[in-house]
Amino acid sequence: MSILIKGGRVIDPANGVDDTLDLLIKDGKIAKTGKNLDATGAEVIDAAGKLVAPGLIDIHVHLRDPGYEYKEDIVSGTRSAAAGGFTSVACMPNTSPVNDNKAVTLYIRNKAKEEGLVNVFPIGSITKGLKGESLSEMGDLKDAGCVALSDDGKPVCNGEIMRRALEYARPFGLVLISHAEDLSLVGEGVMNDGFVATELGLKGIPWVAEDAATARDVMLAEFTGGRLHVAHVSTRGSVEIVRAAKKRGVKVTCEATPHHFSLTDEAVRGYDTNAKMNPPLRSAEDVAAIRQGLADGTIDAIATDHAPHHIDEKNVEFNVAMNGIVGLETALPLCLRLVSEGVLSLGDMLAKLTSAPARALGIPRGTLAAGAAADVSIIDTELTWTVEAAKLNSKSKNTPFDGWEMKGAAVCTIVGGKVVYQRQ
């Protein structure tokens, strides 16, 4: 089957392309791009006035499968991804059982292949059972198809364990994804430590809890020569630590989430549990630092940290509510706000959602080069719409953006040459 995407603005950051072109797909691969391509025998998609980009890649999602399918599963999670324009997602290992062995990895891959709408790349755990005590079988996880290792949701508190993890992961070519958090400094904190927390009478999480852990892991990466990726940076200090490390040649990359560059801790007012996440929403100064880090390239990628929770886990007192929000379907318009506000160019924004995350984890995606997998997002940057949580494709509806007016959305998502989503 062939598809000709006709007359769109093709932006392919990996190859420096930005032009009005046709894009031809054959047998699940990108055949060619060019002007006025022959449409004989092809299904034609008119993309005039639209943006044609490599399929978006989210390297930090929680699909909750296996074990927590009441929150999300591979089917609903990949449906949500497709609706957001994402053609590839990398899923974290904090499932039940934990993805710390070949059997769980293969379950995820096989279910995604049979029932998923987008590419699913499993991330294995750094330590067995996420307990931080002994290393997982990294070689087995790599052989089974894991693209990275992380104990996300929990930090590796023991510095010696983290050191050995960085050393042992090197021969396998695996990057370690750090959940940077000093739990002794977090204590019983439930939101950012600051004026709003004091006013609301909630215990705060100080910025130093993240910065201290980021600094430790960056220094361990420097010491071992291992590859480190810092997840969901949220503080000015973490951005500065990564920036300085990159200048020294440390093998470190990092990501930021749309909620951490779009919201401050002011969103917690009213004790809105949909504004409760880890790391917490920070101060306006931290948000400005995240934006600057995106602009100057310190922050490589944008990732959602899509974290579905059942309403019963959010519709409780703030102190006991679960951390996290769904983000796959709101990420793109929030990223486009960075463009309209002059923080990023359109090409740079797309790079942080395509080629940069692919490069960070070594995923063979994020390009429209001839011969590449035909993963494509067609985006209407002018489409205006209102977020309605109840209508999200995720099983869970925990979003702080319910009711927000958005501009920009994926109107067609193609995975492996197959249309998996069309906006109605």
Side-chain angles (χ1 to χ4, degrees):
M1 177 182 174
S2 299
I3 297 175
L4 182 67
I5 303 172
K6 196 164 184 63
R9 180 183 175 185
V10 177
I11 299 183
D12 181 8
N15 296 292
V17 175
D18 185 351
D19 198 359
T20 301
L21 298 167
D22 298 343
L23 176 69
L24 181 63
I25 295 170
K26 284 187 177 181
D27 300 323
K29 303 286 186 182
I30 303 295
K32 65 170 75 172
T33 55
K35 303 277 189 180
N36 302 313
L37 297 183
D38 183 8
T40 302
E43 175 189 345
V44 176
I45 297 176
D46 183 4
K50 307 292 194 300
L51 178 63
V52 179
L56 308 184
I57 300 169
D58 191 345
I59 56 173
H60 190 150
V61 305
H62 300 268
L63 294 180
R64 307 301 192 199
D65 191 351
Y68 303 107
E69 291 90 348
Y70 69 95
K71 305 185 190 205
E72 192 80 286
D73 58 30
I74 288 171
V75 176
S76 63
T78 58
R79 187 187 307 122
S80 180
F86 290 92
T87 59
S88 296
V89 298
C91 57
M92 287 297 175
N94 52 344
T95 49
S96 181
V98 171
N99 186 14
D100 62 3
N101 63 81
K102 182 178 289 189
V104 178
T105 304
L106 291 177
Y107 163 83
I108 293 169
R109 290 188 64 197
N110 290 336
K111 186 170 182 181
K113 184 177 181 180
E114 293 172 5
E115 302 180 15
L117 293 183
V118 308
N119 307 301
V120 175
F121 295 93
I123 295 172
S125 67
I126 296 173
T127 66
K128 293 178 181 178
L130 304 177
K131 295 179 179 179
E133 297 170 355
S134 59
L135 297 180
S136 60
E137 297 294 337
M138 297 180 179
D140 283 351
L141 289 170
K142 173 68 179 287
D143 289 344
C146 286
V147 296
L149 302 172
S150 180
D151 275 8
D152 185 65
K154 296 182 178 181
V156 179
C157 296
N158 186 306
E160 174 67 8
I161 295 290
M162 190 64 175
R163 171 194 172 178
R164 297 305 177 194
L166 284 160
E167 290 174 337
Y168 293 155
R170 283 184 65 187
F172 300 110
L174 290 169
V175 61
L176 261 59
I177 301 175
S178 168
H179 176 99
E181 184 180 26
D182 186 326
L183 295 180
S184 65
L185 291 168
V186 171
E188 297 180 355
V190 293
M191 68 169 293
N192 184 55
D193 188 18
F195 180 80
V196 178
T198 301
E199 194 173 67
L200 295 178
L202 295 172
K203 292 186 178 181
I205 301 172
W207 55 262
V208 70
E210 179 174 323
D211 292 10
T214 301
R216 187 206 71 170
D217 289 344
V218 164
M219 287 189 286
L220 286 172
E222 187 169 20
F223 178 71
T224 62
R227 291 178 56 220
L228 179 74
H229 179 83
V230 184
H232 45 49
V233 295
S234 71
T235 65
R236 179 177 60 184
S238 283
V239 175
E240 292 171 350
I241 290 164
V242 172
R243 182 181 290 122
K246 286 187 169 187
K247 289 179 180 177
R248 299 196 305 273
V250 181
K251 297 174 184 175
V252 59
T253 54
C254 69
E255 71 193 35
T257 71
H259 47 275
H260 283 121
F261 62 67
S262 300
L263 298 169
T264 70
D265 53 4
E266 291 285 338
V268 179
R269 291 191 184 280
Y271 302 94
D272 183 2
T273 58
N274 285 323
K276 186 184 182 188
M277 59 224 23
N278 187 22
L281 297 174
R282 302 286 188 180
S283 69
E285 291 77 13
D286 291 311
V287 171
I290 297 296
R291 289 176 168 234
Q292 181 57 43
L294 288 164
D296 66 23
T298 299
I299 299 173
D300 303 84
I302 295 171
T304 66
D305 193 6
H306 176 81
H309 290 297
H310 190 272
I311 188 172
D312 291 345
E313 298 167 325
K314 280 291 191 177
N315 192 25
V316 292
E317 295 86 351
F318 195 91
N319 282 336
V320 297
M322 299 290 284
N323 288 309
I325 66 170
V326 293
L328 285 164
E329 294 173 65
T330 54
L332 180 56
L334 292 172
C335 291
L336 285 167
R337 288 183 178 216
L338 295 176
V339 178
S340 65
E341 293 165 3
V343 178
L344 293 172
S345 69
L346 189 55
D348 286 343
M349 183 216 78
L350 286 172
K352 293 182 188 298
L353 288 167
T354 57
S355 55
R359 189 166 53 248
L361 297 196
I363 295 171
R365 293 295 189 277
T367 174
L368 295 178
D375 295 350
V376 183
S377 296
I378 303 176
I379 299 163
D380 186 341
T381 59
E382 299 301 314
L383 180 67
T384 57
W385 58 286
T386 302
V387 178
E388 295 180 72
K391 294 183 178 180
L392 294 176
N393 287 274
S394 171
K395 282 187 180 181
S396 297
K397 314 300 178 185
N398 49 308
T399 174
F401 301 111
D402 190 26
W404 277 43
E405 295 293 326
M406 297 290 191
K407 187 176 182 181
V411 293
C412 182
T413 306
I414 299 170
V415 178
K418 179 183 177 182
V419 175
V420 296
Y421 171 79
Q422 282 187 301
R423 192 177 183 90
Q424 301 301 316

